[in-house]
Amino acid sequence: MPFPILLSSLAAMSNPGNSVLSTRYRDARTLVRRVCRLPGEDRAPFKEKVARLREHFEQFNVDVSELCQWFMGLRKAHAAAHAANAATSPAGFGPLGDFLLVPALDGVDADESECDRWRLAVFDAVAGFRDLTAPIREAVPPALHAAIDATARNGPHTNPKNVAMKRLFERLRTLDSAHRLVLLKSAAEWVVARYRRGMENWVRQREEWEKEKTAWETARPQLTPEVRERFTQVFRSLVWDRDKRPGVTNKRPRICPYERLKGNLDNCIYAGQKGHGPLCWKYAGFKKTREEQFSRFNDRGFEKDAAEFLARRKDGVRRHEVLRQMFRGRSADEQRFTDNWSAYLRALSLNEDTVVEHGRLPHCLRIGETFEKSKCEWNPHTELCKQYKRALDNPDNGFDEETLRLEPLYRQWRRDYLAGPRKPSFRYPSSRDLPMPKIFGAGFHEIDFDRSIVRLRLDDMSAGQWIEFGFTPWPRGYKPSRDEIKAAGRVTSVHVHFIGTRARLGFRFSVRPKPSRFTCSQDELDELRSRCFPRQAQDQQFLDAARQRLLDSFPGGAEEAKRNMRLLAVDLGETGACAAVYQGTTHQTDCPLAIIKINRLYAGRPDALEPDVKGRPSKEKRKFDKGDPRGVRKEHVARHLARIAQKTAEITQHPRRQPAVPQTVTPGAHDLRSLKRHTAWMIRDWTRLNAAQIVKVAEDQRCNLIVFESLRGFLAPGYDKLCPKEEDKKRWLAMFAYGRVRRKVVEKAVERGMRVVTVPYYKSSQVCSTCGAVQENTNLHRENKRDRKFICEKNTCAVELNSDANAARVLARIFWGEITLPSPDEKTVRRS
């Protein structure tokens, strides 16, 4: 029995970097409903039925996981047999494996049902369940015939030591062909989505990375392989943990550059928090506390008086004499300073004599937004920094002045070319850690939409036997409606999934995409981006190729597209969002996007953002603290992340977790799993809501194409720069999932006949959308951006726009080739 099973869940759970999805996943949709009791049903029998359903759900995951292992065994055997052939693709599974993953025969055009019939027939022949029928045997090529015979004799399932595989095939023999097809196709789609496509993309990434590396090294001949190896050996010799093997393998090691170390100053970037030592942060806390206690506390006045006080004391003048000379009868000022000074010493746990020896306050007075702005001189270097400096200064290592001047160049090489793109890993499905929904195809489910009842036929049931469950009714206003689905009979399969102990039903139904004005598919554009031009440095090449393909496939050709194609360029920033609508190359309007930003929902474009005054929380934060914790916002995520950090600390300190030999205790994967899953679902909901609103604007404006910034290879600030607290970084980065928003927009846009492309992003927000000039005055540009303004600094232009609207217009003009962004600077670009 053919089963048109459409596993959208596999596509959703595939590698986030993989954008090549088959078109058959884009003409169907899944609506998830909660399983509930039947009318008048008691709780006890309902729980028994759910427990029985869960057993089949878990068994389904076990069977699919073992079939995935069988597929990977085919790949391993194929790789071993062709180890000497360099031309063999690492993603290849051999003739048999490739056919079972994606069944196709040369010269035969077949639909999905026919391909499923071939897949099952070949698998049954390999397993020895039945012989190939004459039509299929005649159509199968000789290479596949030989692979079928060889695997049937010596395949992974024939190994007598592999008890699990033997048990799997014995179980498969007892199932009817329909159940075998469900399992086989599920496993095949899982392997393709989670391994094969990722491996194929990795091969292309590796090829382009090697070309980039060769070009970079050729352009810098002074950094010879010998010099690179000497610096690399130094990093391999560093000891970062006495309980582990020596060696620092990180491409961006948390070690200060030699230029910073050779000055012998306590100005470490990576020690403490945000490049500052403990005293700096204690002093910041002291100022905040004094301001809360005494509204007239003047931190700058206190610092000025303290500097004068310490300078005079260092010259040997006694304390009371210094105070008398400083204040000259102003007893109130003297008393205020002595009170502040005593509180200062207590807060920082300092002895006055120790501070007097320094002759000045032993910490920074201000902490900048980044360590580059702070330049702390009181933050001792880490042990790794000291080891690194000693190794470079050691004459036995042979680093002369000329070689040491190449250290910054080596650090660039190490960041990008020490190791290539990471090979994708593969995880098998698991009912608890990485579940796959159990699928009931045609003939194995019946749905009563009027009464909201679903009947399922389990594996151990014969034809005509059913197990019944209720489900929450079809939502009002949902398209397609319940009546439309019922009339057309469009539900192709029912997916059963468990969230903890709660069962969920996914109704999979076909959706007919709206016709597109482009004859090229979204798959072709995704193929261009992920396979033909996989590197961040190739974003412009991808745009040129994608634009040409879109224009050629538009009715009437390129000239007609430049007049009538409707384009929506979307800019998603940290503090605002906007879309620019173009008809052809002509700007039509700007549409502020009412999407959830990092901490609030903008119903329209605000004139200016509400700034925090001296660290005081915004209105949105105060509203949250007063007991309104709902919504997908940064404060909500922050609360959960703080809770996770607190409970993790308690767990690791629990007596039962302490080993006999003292060592670092790390929490397990099961610790706080529910709270972590809840936080992940919040980010998922955030992505869905934002994508839906972007697509709604595109629909309202009758757009044919949506343009995003690429952001490929982008590392948000915070990955390689320390924040005051690790949870602060997580709170911000948690809501920076704009790549996920774009991928969700692609799914929704294809259903509506639209296409989605990306354009290069480097310095796009600093370019004028009118004249195309790059703004050189970055401080002025940043100041204007805080007020959500863009003012072109070029005298002949001087255009003034909303900053988000300007950025969106720039993206549209980049797509049309009217603006070309500057090449990324090697010191700031982060390659993928």
Side-chain angles (χ1 to χ4, degrees), residues 464-532:
Q465 289 184 316
W466 304 99
I467 184 172
E468 289 188 339
F469 295 94
F471 61 87
T472 52
W474 208 263
R476 294 179 180 178
Y478 186 84
K479 296 295 184 180
S481 66
R482 180 191 66 177
D483 294 336
E484 292 173 339
I485 291 292
K486 177 183 176 182
R490 291 156 63 183
V491 175
T492 57
S493 58
V494 175
H495 298 184
V496 175
H497 187 48
F498 277 83
I499 309 295
T501 59
R502 299 176 180 178
R504 296 288 187 270
L505 295 174
F507 296 102
R508 189 67 171 164
F509 51 89
S510 59
V511 176
R512 183 172 299 172
K514 292 183 180 179
S516 173
R517 298 192 70 181
F518 301 101
T519 56
C520 74
S521 67
Q522 184 66 40
D523 287 327
E524 295 179 53
L525 300 177
D526 292 344
E527 183 86 12
L528 274 177
R529 190 174 189 269
S530 61
R531 301 280 176 85
C532 300

Side-chain angles (χ1 to χ4, degrees), residues 122-137:
V122 170
F123 177 78
D124 285 351
V126 171
F129 299 157
R130 56 174 177 164
D131 296 331
L132 287 176
T133 59
I136 298 180
R137 187 170 55 249

Side-chain angles (χ1 to χ4, degrees), residues 156 158-166:
T158 62
N159 186 353
K161 296 181 180 179
N162 196 332
V163 179
M165 199 64 63
K166 182 179 179 180

Side-chain angles (χ1 to χ4, degrees), residues 85-102:
N85 186 4
T88 301
S89 170
F93 282 70
L96 175 62
D98 291 341
F99 180 83
L100 292 176
L101 292 177
V102 184

